[in-house]
Amino acid sequence: MKGITGAVITGDIIGSTRIPGGYKDVLHKIGDDIKQHQDDRFIIDIYRGDSFQCISNRPGKGLLILLLIKAGLKRHSSKIRSEELQWDARMSLGIGFLEEYPHTNDLTELTGGPFTRSGRSLDQMKEKGRLIQVTTGEEQLDAEIASVLPMIEVITDKWSTAQADAVYPLLLFNTITQDAIGKRIGKSQRAVSKRLDVSKIEAIKPYLKRFEEQIKWTFRK
């Protein structure tokens, strides 16, 4: 029986044992931002220290939300002796039907297609060394998405903290100027433009729109 379509992201902080626990506060802040500006029913649950799970009732925004979390983490780094360690996460996005949308922040006991797909894929990703995975249960759609994800993974993996700092507000707000981004992060419009150009985010944005259209069409009621 079809119900509400949900997008579930399951993730692990990479190298969590080498960075301070401040990433938990950052994840909660990212969750608050997403809830305020992208999905007012967004839920994030942090468990087992370095693992987290999120759910959105706007599945077409699932990949955008995943990249928001990635950029939100990568704009932070920790100094480990003489080494600068950038924060990041391995994340698996599962999309599918739920009988009902959760009303609690405790997502660990919930079940359903998107939860199963997200969790299983994350375990497989660790073995393959992947950082981003999307599964919908629709074979043809999953194959098309899988053909694009390696490009997105390569681009986002190269984001510096400075680039991620500019990308984050660009993805968070539906419309925002480079000048406004600069005011938010304390940089000039020219500096923001350079960071965004090097980040190659404009190469990803058209696919985010395509992804949203595909999900809406596939899971329409």
Side-chain angles (χ1 to χ4, degrees):
M1 178 179 178
K2 293 183 179 181
I4 297 171
T5 309
V8 175
I9 297 172
T10 307
D12 287 331
I13 300 295
I14 297 173
S16 60
T17 57
R18 302 179 62 201
I19 61 179
Y23 60 80
K24 297 178 184 179
D25 293 333
V26 169
L27 280 171
H28 281 303
K29 178 60 170 64
I30 295 170
D32 290 342
D33 285 345
I34 292 172
K35 190 169 185 178
Q36 182 177 358
H37 300 288
Q38 290 291 336
D39 177 7
D40 60 4
R41 299 185 68 188
F42 181 77
I43 298 172
I44 184 167
D45 182 19
I46 303 172
Y47 57 97
R48 292 204 313 267
D50 62 352
S51 299
F52 60 92
Q53 196 163 58
C54 324
I55 185 168
S56 170
N57 74 333
R58 301 187 67 187
K61 297 287 186 181
L63 184 56
L64 169 67
I65 289 172
L66 184 151
L67 295 183
L68 265 170
I69 296 171
K70 179 170 285 288
L73 287 169
K74 288 178 75 72
R75 66 204 291 233
H76 293 83
S77 63
S78 299
K79 192 79 170 180
I80 310 297
R81 296 185 179 88
S82 59
E83 180 185 3
E84 194 77 18
L85 185 64
Q86 187 182 39
W87 298 6
D88 199 356
R90 177 181 294 104
M91 288 178 280
S92 170
L93 168 62
I95 295 175
F97 292 108
L98 299 165
E99 290 187 5
E100 62 178 354
Y101 197 79
H103 301 285
T104 172
N105 284 353
D106 184 4
L107 303 180
T108 56
E109 300 300 322
L110 298 181
T111 59
F115 285 98
T116 302
R117 294 184 186 107
S118 180
R120 287 179 179 174
S121 293
L122 184 66
D123 292 336
Q124 297 170 359
M125 289 168 64
K126 295 175 183 178
E127 299 175 0
K128 299 177 181 179
R130 296 292 305 278
L131 296 176
I132 300 173
Q133 184 70 40
V134 178
T135 49
T136 69
E138 299 291 329
E139 185 176 350
Q140 185 173 350
L141 178 57
D142 284 350
E144 182 175 338
I145 295 171
S147 70
V148 180
L149 287 183
M151 176 197 72
I152 295 177
E153 188 171 300
V154 167
I155 291 173
T156 58
D157 190 46
K158 293 180 179 179
W159 283 348
S160 66
T161 54
Q163 291 164 22
D165 202 29
V167 167
Y168 184 74
L170 181 71
L171 294 177
L172 182 62
F173 300 101
N174 292 324
T175 57
I176 188 171
T177 64
Q178 291 183 357
D179 186 57
I181 292 174
K183 290 177 180 178
R184 293 184 69 89
I185 67 176
K187 298 296 178 181
S188 67
Q189 181 274 329
R190 184 176 180 181
V192 169
S193 179
K194 184 176 181 179
R195 291 182 183 190
L196 292 177
D197 183 55
V198 176
S199 77
K200 305 301 180 185
I201 187 60
E202 292 299 327
I204 296 176
K205 285 175 64 178
Y207 182 69
L208 292 178
K209 183 177 181 180
R210 168 65 175 163
F211 180 88
E212 184 172 5
E213 293 171 347
Q214 287 179 304
I215 297 302
K216 286 182 177 179
W217 185 87
T218 301
F219 292 94
R220 69 192 187 283
K221 294 181 180 179

